[in-house]
Amino acid sequence: MASSLAATTTTKCLHIVASSSSISSQKPNNFHYLSPNRPPNHLSFSSSLRLRGGFVWSGMSIERKKKNKEQTTAAIRTLVGSITRTQGLRFAVVVARFNEIVTKPLLEGALDTFRKYSVGEEDIDVVWVPGSFEIGIVAQRLGKSLKYHAILCIGAVVRGDTSHYDAVANSAASGVLSAGINSGVPCIFGVLTCENMEQAINRAGGKSGNKGAEAALTAIEMASLFEHQLK
Ligand SMILES: Nc1c(NC[C@H](O)[C@H](O)[C@H](O)CO)[nH]c(=O)[nH]c1=O
Ligand SMILES: CC(=O)[C@@H](O)COP(=O)(O)O
């Protein structure tokens, strides 16, 4: 018996020893297969063994593989949110006023995207907060209200001269993550964290696009996934 194979001594087990040709190659050698009608007496194996003659050892019994080689397998289901099924989906947008020169165009980009994908104006609420640090708690409150299918969070954290940037950026990210997990409503992280103002402006409708618009699309897909696929 190959010592490398973990084996436990129990009263109801089958001692399977099969030659290397009788089991799939990844198992150790020098096993010799006993007929299934010779009840086990002292060893068991934690993993299943494919045996000669179409038998499969599955831990406590040997099943004869079906003669039909085409094993039927259930079709794999794929669930994905739709960005074209927005009828009736409601959104809240939490936007930080700090660095408004950046967050306002981010918000406009998001609202443009909602319009482009036929989200009704009556299905969007915009909530302003002082800074990105305050986004999380407001997102969680909105999520728990169960009035919205997704909460889009928008802010712009730009590094200054001190380490305050790290505190605000990290708190904003963990706040939005916690809000989603605690409320069960998708909370989308559309908060820029930039080394300087140029980087931020480039991502609020400049040469790097509009991250608010991108985050709005994520909000639509997640709202649809939860509403249409995961209910
Ligand atoms: N420096 C930035 C801030 N700072 C303000 C905080 O977000 C928060 O409002 C304050 O600490 C009071 O709790 N906020 C940003 O959104 N972006 C920044 O760059
Ligand atoms: C992200 C911030 O809090 C930062 O803008 C504040 O600037 P400073 O670090 O120079 O006080």
Side-chain angles (χ1 to χ4, degrees), residues 27 51-52 128 130 184 190 193 219:
K27 295 288 182 262
L51 303 170
R52 196 190 348 241
W128 286 89
T193 53

Side-chain angles (χ1 to χ4, degrees), residues 54 64-73:
R64 185 171 187 74
K65 268 195 327 179
K66 293 175 181 147
K67 281 189 177 167
N68 168 12
K69 295 290 184 200
E70 285 73 49
Q71 302 286 349
T72 54
T73 54

Side-chain angles (χ1 to χ4, degrees), residues 94 129 131-143 151 153 171-180 182 187 191:
V94 186
V129 294
S132 295
F133 187 86
E134 284 74 36
I135 291 175
I137 190 169
V138 172
Q140 180 163 307
R141 171 67 62 90
L142 294 167
I151 315 292
C153 301
S171 300
S174 56
V176 172
L177 176 62
S178 301
N182 295 337
C187 289
V191 178

Side-chain angles (χ1 to χ4, degrees), residues 96-99 103 129-135 155-160 164-165 168 191-192:
R97 193 177 307 110
F98 203 106
N99 289 326
T103 61
V129 294
S132 295
F133 187 86
E134 284 74 36
I135 291 175
V157 187
V158 178
R159 191 179 294 278
H164 193 239
Y165 165 89
V168 174
V191 178
L192 297 183

